[in-house]
Amino acid sequence: VQLQASGGGLVQSGDSLRLSCAASGRFASRYALGWFRHPPGKEREFVASISRSGFSTLYEDSVKGRFTISRGSAENTVFLQMNSLKPEDTAVYYCAAGLSYSHKSEYEYWGQGTQVTVSS
């Protein structure tokens, strides 16, 4: 499974961004998709995930109510709508694929990352 993420950029506090990820490969449709981020000087952390069907989602507490993960109409695409961005959201964001959307430590495939920078 190959993952291609896009949509990062430099924004101001309170602004919005939408990240996109496209999964490809023979078995891509079998996987749940998730977003992780790696803030500067910190460890990588889970952000949000969505099941294969799109009916189930999971969010890290600090982004609940601000971020929304969704499946796109195109097969094997996922979006992360990020609203009310804060400087602490600054990180490299990674799209990942795993067999279970809720098993945060078991994501098998990773995209290349897209930088999100939020200025205060």
PDB file of all heavy atoms in Angstrom, residues 81-95:
ATOM      1  N   GLN A  81      -9.975  17.560   8.015  1.00  0.00           N
ATOM      2  CA  GLN A  81     -10.329  18.963   8.076  1.00  0.00           C
ATOM      3  C   GLN A  81      -9.919  19.502   9.436  1.00  0.00           C
ATOM      4  O   GLN A  81     -10.386  19.011  10.458  1.00  0.00           O
ATOM      5  CB  GLN A  81     -11.841  19.147   7.865  1.00  0.00           C
ATOM      6  CG  GLN A  81     -12.306  20.587   7.969  1.00  0.00           C
ATOM      7  CD  GLN A  81     -11.760  21.461   6.849  1.00  0.00           C
ATOM      8  OE1 GLN A  81     -11.715  21.048   5.701  1.00  0.00           O
ATOM      9  NE2 GLN A  81     -11.337  22.669   7.199  1.00  0.00           N
ATOM     10  N   MET A  82      -9.053  20.494   9.430  1.00  0.00           N
ATOM     11  CA  MET A  82      -8.512  21.035  10.680  1.00  0.00           C
ATOM     12  C   MET A  82      -8.965  22.483  10.817  1.00  0.00           C
ATOM     13  O   MET A  82      -8.578  23.342  10.003  1.00  0.00           O
ATOM     14  CB  MET A  82      -6.983  20.951  10.669  1.00  0.00           C
ATOM     15  CG  MET A  82      -6.454  19.543  10.434  1.00  0.00           C
ATOM     16  SD  MET A  82      -4.666  19.420  10.593  1.00  0.00           S
ATOM     17  CE  MET A  82      -4.135  20.432   9.219  1.00  0.00           C
ATOM     18  N   ASN A  83      -9.787  22.724  11.810  1.00  0.00           N
ATOM     19  CA  ASN A  83     -10.296  24.069  12.072  1.00  0.00           C
ATOM     20  C   ASN A  83      -9.734  24.604  13.387  1.00  0.00           C
ATOM     21  O   ASN A  83      -9.249  23.838  14.215  1.00  0.00           O
ATOM     22  CB  ASN A  83     -11.821  24.050  12.139  1.00  0.00           C
ATOM     23  CG  ASN A  83     -12.465  23.621  10.838  1.00  0.00           C
ATOM     24  OD1 ASN A  83     -11.927  23.862   9.753  1.00  0.00           O
ATOM     25  ND2 ASN A  83     -13.622  22.984  10.923  1.00  0.00           N
ATOM     26  N   SER A  84      -9.828  25.895  13.558  1.00  0.00           N
ATOM     27  CA  SER A  84      -9.362  26.534  14.798  1.00  0.00           C
ATOM     28  C   SER A  84      -7.950  26.079  15.162  1.00  0.00           C
ATOM     29  O   SER A  84      -7.680  25.687  16.305  1.00  0.00           O
ATOM     30  CB  SER A  84     -10.326  26.224  15.950  1.00  0.00           C
ATOM     31  OG  SER A  84     -11.628  26.653  15.643  1.00  0.00           O
ATOM     32  N   LEU A  85      -7.082  26.135  14.205  1.00  0.00           N
ATOM     33  CA  LEU A  85      -5.721  25.647  14.419  1.00  0.00           C
ATOM     34  C   LEU A  85      -4.987  26.466  15.471  1.00  0.00           C
ATOM     35  O   LEU A  85      -5.179  27.688  15.591  1.00  0.00           O
ATOM     36  CB  LEU A  85      -4.955  25.651  13.107  1.00  0.00           C
ATOM     37  CG  LEU A  85      -5.300  24.482  12.172  1.00  0.00           C
ATOM     38  CD1 LEU A  85      -4.854  24.771  10.745  1.00  0.00           C
ATOM     39  CD2 LEU A  85      -4.667  23.192  12.677  1.00  0.00           C
ATOM     40  N   LYS A  86      -4.139  25.776  16.204  1.00  0.00           N
ATOM     41  CA  LYS A  86      -3.360  26.388  17.278  1.00  0.00           C
ATOM     42  C   LYS A  86      -1.871  26.167  16.987  1.00  0.00           C
ATOM     43  O   LYS A  86      -1.511  25.213  16.293  1.00  0.00           O
ATOM     44  CB  LYS A  86      -3.711  25.736  18.613  1.00  0.00           C
ATOM     45  CG  LYS A  86      -5.185  25.777  18.969  1.00  0.00           C
ATOM     46  CD  LYS A  86      -5.443  25.008  20.254  1.00  0.00           C
ATOM     47  CE  LYS A  86      -6.921  25.017  20.623  1.00  0.00           C
ATOM     48  NZ  LYS A  86      -7.186  24.256  21.877  1.00  0.00           N
ATOM     49  N   PRO A  87      -1.019  26.999  17.556  1.00  0.00           N
ATOM     50  CA  PRO A  87       0.417  26.792  17.351  1.00  0.00           C
ATOM     51  C   PRO A  87       0.880  25.390  17.760  1.00  0.00           C
ATOM     52  O   PRO A  87       1.782  24.830  17.133  1.00  0.00           O
ATOM     53  CB  PRO A  87       1.048  27.874  18.233  1.00  0.00           C
ATOM     54  CG  PRO A  87       0.032  28.965  18.251  1.00  0.00           C
ATOM     55  CD  PRO A  87      -1.293  28.258  18.259  1.00  0.00           C
ATOM     56  N   GLU A  88       0.249  24.816  18.772  1.00  0.00           N
ATOM     57  CA  GLU A  88       0.640  23.471  19.209  1.00  0.00           C
ATOM     58  C   GLU A  88       0.234  22.382  18.225  1.00  0.00           C
ATOM     59  O   GLU A  88       0.578  21.215  18.410  1.00  0.00           O
ATOM     60  CB  GLU A  88       0.075  23.165  20.598  1.00  0.00           C
ATOM     61  CG  GLU A  88      -1.399  23.429  20.775  1.00  0.00           C
ATOM     62  CD  GLU A  88      -1.686  24.791  21.378  1.00  0.00           C
ATOM     63  OE1 GLU A  88      -1.028  25.801  20.975  1.00  0.00           O
ATOM     64  OE2 GLU A  88      -2.570  24.861  22.263  1.00  0.00           O
ATOM     65  N   ASP A  89      -0.508  22.715  17.188  1.00  0.00           N
ATOM     66  CA  ASP A  89      -0.813  21.760  16.128  1.00  0.00           C
ATOM     67  C   ASP A  89       0.315  21.670  15.102  1.00  0.00           C
ATOM     68  O   ASP A  89       0.272  20.833  14.199  1.00  0.00           O
ATOM     69  CB  ASP A  89      -2.103  22.150  15.403  1.00  0.00           C
ATOM     70  CG  ASP A  89      -3.329  22.059  16.299  1.00  0.00           C
ATOM     71  OD1 ASP A  89      -3.443  21.084  17.066  1.00  0.00           O
ATOM     72  OD2 ASP A  89      -4.176  22.973  16.222  1.00  0.00           O
ATOM     73  N   THR A  90       1.309  22.529  15.234  1.00  0.00           N
ATOM     74  CA  THR A  90       2.445  22.515  14.322  1.00  0.00           C
ATOM     75  C   THR A  90       3.156  21.168  14.386  1.00  0.00           C
ATOM     76  O   THR A  90       3.537  20.717  15.471  1.00  0.00           O
ATOM     77  CB  THR A  90       3.430  23.643  14.671  1.00  0.00           C
ATOM     78  OG1 THR A  90       2.802  24.911  14.438  1.00  0.00           O
ATOM     79  CG2 THR A  90       4.697  23.540  13.832  1.00  0.00           C
ATOM     80  N   ALA A  91       3.298  20.530  13.240  1.00  0.00           N
ATOM     81  CA  ALA A  91       3.902  19.198  13.179  1.00  0.00           C
ATOM     82  C   ALA A  91       4.003  18.753  11.730  1.00  0.00           C
ATOM     83  O   ALA A  91       3.409  19.370  10.836  1.00  0.00           O
ATOM     84  CB  ALA A  91       3.062  18.193  13.964  1.00  0.00           C
ATOM     85  N   VAL A  92       4.730  17.675  11.527  1.00  0.00           N
ATOM     86  CA  VAL A  92       4.645  16.957  10.260  1.00  0.00           C
ATOM     87  C   VAL A  92       3.520  15.944  10.417  1.00  0.00           C
ATOM     88  O   VAL A  92       3.521  15.149  11.357  1.00  0.00           O
ATOM     89  CB  VAL A  92       5.963  16.245   9.908  1.00  0.00           C
ATOM     90  CG1 VAL A  92       5.811  15.467   8.603  1.00  0.00           C
ATOM     91  CG2 VAL A  92       7.101  17.257   9.794  1.00  0.00           C
ATOM     92  N   TYR A  93       2.571  15.981   9.510  1.00  0.00           N
ATOM     93  CA  TYR A  93       1.417  15.100   9.578  1.00  0.00           C
ATOM     94  C   TYR A  93       1.593  13.946   8.588  1.00  0.00           C
ATOM     95  O   TYR A  93       1.940  14.164   7.423  1.00  0.00           O
ATOM     96  CB  TYR A  93       0.140  15.876   9.255  1.00  0.00           C
ATOM     97  CG  TYR A  93      -0.330  16.734  10.399  1.00  0.00           C
ATOM     98  CD1 TYR A  93       0.381  17.873  10.785  1.00  0.00           C
ATOM     99  CD2 TYR A  93      -1.471  16.393  11.136  1.00  0.00           C
ATOM    100  CE1 TYR A  93      -0.032  18.650  11.856  1.00  0.00           C
ATOM    101  CE2 TYR A  93      -1.893  17.168  12.198  1.00  0.00           C
ATOM    102  CZ  TYR A  93      -1.169  18.283  12.562  1.00  0.00           C
ATOM    103  OH  TYR A  93      -1.586  19.050  13.634  1.00  0.00           O
ATOM    104  N   TYR A  94       1.327  12.740   9.095  1.00  0.00           N
ATOM    105  CA  TYR A  94       1.497  11.537   8.304  1.00  0.00           C
ATOM    106  C   TYR A  94       0.169  10.805   8.149  1.00  0.00           C
ATOM    107  O   TYR A  94      -0.583  10.652   9.120  1.00  0.00           O
ATOM    108  CB  TYR A  94       2.494  10.591   8.966  1.00  0.00           C
ATOM    109  CG  TYR A  94       3.893  11.121   9.057  1.00  0.00           C
ATOM    110  CD1 TYR A  94       4.312  11.856  10.162  1.00  0.00           C
ATOM    111  CD2 TYR A  94       4.811  10.886   8.038  1.00  0.00           C
ATOM    112  CE1 TYR A  94       5.606  12.357  10.245  1.00  0.00           C
ATOM    113  CE2 TYR A  94       6.103  11.364   8.113  1.00  0.00           C
ATOM    114  CZ  TYR A  94       6.493  12.097   9.218  1.00  0.00           C
ATOM    115  OH  TYR A  94       7.774  12.580   9.292  1.00  0.00           O
ATOM    116  N   CYS A  95      -0.075  10.327   6.957  1.00  0.00           N
ATOM    117  CA  CYS A  95      -1.189   9.442   6.698  1.00  0.00           C
ATOM    118  C   CYS A  95      -0.683   8.008   6.850  1.00  0.00           C
ATOM    119  O   CYS A  95       0.450   7.701   6.449  1.00  0.00           O
ATOM    120  CB  CYS A  95      -1.693   9.685   5.273  1.00  0.00           C
ATOM    121  SG  CYS A  95      -3.051   8.646   4.777  1.00  0.00           S
TER     122      CYS A  95
END
